[in-house]
Amino acid sequence: MFSRWNLVRNPFDTSPISLGTLDWFVGRTKEVEVCRRLVSERSVVLVEGGLGVGTTSFGNATRFGAERLTPRMEIAVYRGWNAQTLLENVLVAVLHDLLDIPGAARSKAVRKARTLVQRVEQTVHSAGVSVLGFGGQVSRNVAVTQPGIVPMETLRQSLLALAEAFPPKQGSASFAVQLNNLDPEMTFSKDELSSFLNDIRDSLQLPGFSWLLVGKTGLARFVTHRVPRLRSIVSHDVLLPPLSFREVQAVVNKRLEACALPGRK
């Protein structure tokens, strides 16, 4: 379809920056540098911005450039989730990508995690809920009404074992995990979001893990006023303004060049 314009694909695809399109990312240089340094250690970073400014892309650019193990897809959280649902999804997402590392499947920690994930998937399928393809993410709207598939402490110990089995070359965080959809009065009501964030607060202190919490403008203020327990462990806030006109021009030029047919660049 795009060959008539000498392009191999749509340069204006609105999908967030991914590992394969990381070189398309433009701007935010100082903010990305700060956040990459933070996620190399155990940290919790809040990222907020208006619709369409690229908060998801910013988080992805931070994670993929920080030389940490990180799920290829961000984890989108949903109404009805709690700490247990979160850790189940994180375990599935982390394992999904670890299995792509040569030799990782022979690790004792990976074998045990795989057994737990199989239990999660079997229970989810039997409940009639699908396992999505977003980084192996499990979406369970039944999470609130059903007992937990795997005990919380078992999930924690499995994630800790994975972090110990795959230590970073530098820093203290083996894995960087990004949570999306933390939007008061959009994905969640204010009460639902404060309840969820309070519930996951202790899980965000899991050794070997860093976290990027991504939402719309107002997330940081919401956490300050409604979730002071979480605020006490947040390392940094990032508010993303829209790109400048010059930066938008740079984005367009980069994408056109990347998507041009061979010999047409």
Side-chain angles (χ1 to χ4, degrees):
M1 173 181 176
F2 292 97
S3 59
R4 69 177 69 179
W5 294 290
N6 297 320
L7 298 169
V8 294
R9 56 176 167 164
N10 180 8
F12 303 112
D13 184 356
T14 57
S15 300
I17 293 293
S18 65
L19 184 58
T21 58
L22 190 57
D23 59 345
W24 291 15
F25 189 77
V26 170
R28 326 281 197 201
T29 306
K30 290 182 179 179
E31 296 96 330
V32 167
E33 183 180 342
V34 168
C35 289
R36 282 178 178 171
R37 187 168 62 251
L38 286 169
V39 300
S40 295
E41 306 295 338
R42 285 178 56 198
S43 60
V44 178
V45 177
L46 300 183
V47 180
E48 62 175 38
L51 288 170
V53 304
T55 51
T56 296
S57 290
F58 176 88
N60 289 342
T62 296
R63 294 185 296 120
F64 296 138
E67 299 183 352
R68 303 295 104 175
L69 293 170
T70 183
R72 271 169 286 183
M73 293 296 291
E74 61 279 356
I75 295 177
V77 300
Y78 294 98
R79 178 174 292 169
W81 280 33
N82 55 26
Q84 182 147 354
T85 319
L86 172 66
L87 293 188
E88 287 170 354
N89 278 274
V90 171
L91 181 62
V92 173
V94 165
L95 179 65
H96 183 271
D97 282 358
L98 281 178
L99 290 174
D100 287 338
I101 299 176
R106 295 193 295 271
S107 163
K108 181 179 179 181
V110 169
R111 294 199 307 270
K112 286 188 173 182
R114 203 169 189 175
T115 300
L116 292 180
V117 166
Q118 288 171 348
R119 285 173 57 188
V120 172
E121 291 178 337
Q122 288 169 0
T123 305
V124 167
H125 284 306
S126 68
V129 182
S130 62
V131 177
L132 303 180
F134 297 97
Q137 179 178 329
V138 180
S139 176
R140 293 173 55 233
N141 293 328
V142 292
V144 174
T145 57
Q146 286 193 343
I149 296 173
V150 178
M152 276 284 291
E153 187 56 29
T154 303
L155 291 168
R156 284 178 53 84
Q157 291 302 318
S158 182
L159 288 168
L160 282 170
L162 291 174
E164 291 172 358
F166 298 91
K169 294 180 180 179
Q170 294 182 332
S172 59
S174 297
F175 298 99
V177 180
Q178 179 171 332
L179 306 183
N180 278 14
N181 288 0
L182 299 173
D183 307 321
E185 299 188 307
M186 293 184 68
T187 307
F188 297 86
S189 71
K190 288 183 177 180
D191 287 343
E192 288 170 335
L193 183 57
S194 61
S195 176
F196 172 68
L197 293 177
N198 269 309
D199 196 47
I200 70 171
R201 187 262 192 191
D202 292 342
S203 297
L204 299 183
Q205 294 186 286
L206 193 68
F209 283 79
S210 284
W211 305 84
L212 289 160
L213 309 186
V214 180
K216 300 299 179 288
T217 302
L219 174 61
R221 183 170 59 250
F222 179 86
V223 169
T224 298
H225 294 295
R226 297 288 297 265
V227 201
R229 289 184 67 249
L230 175 57
R231 169 52 70 188
S232 68
I233 65 169
V234 170
S235 308
H236 187 61
D237 298 346
V238 180
L239 172 60
L240 298 181
L243 293 174
S244 68
F245 179 71
R246 182 172 294 181
E247 288 171 329
V248 171
Q249 285 182 311
V251 170
V252 171
N253 291 336
K254 271 199 171 187
R255 290 186 172 222
L256 288 173
E257 181 178 358
C259 295
L261 285 168
R264 300 285 184 173
K265 296 184 180 182

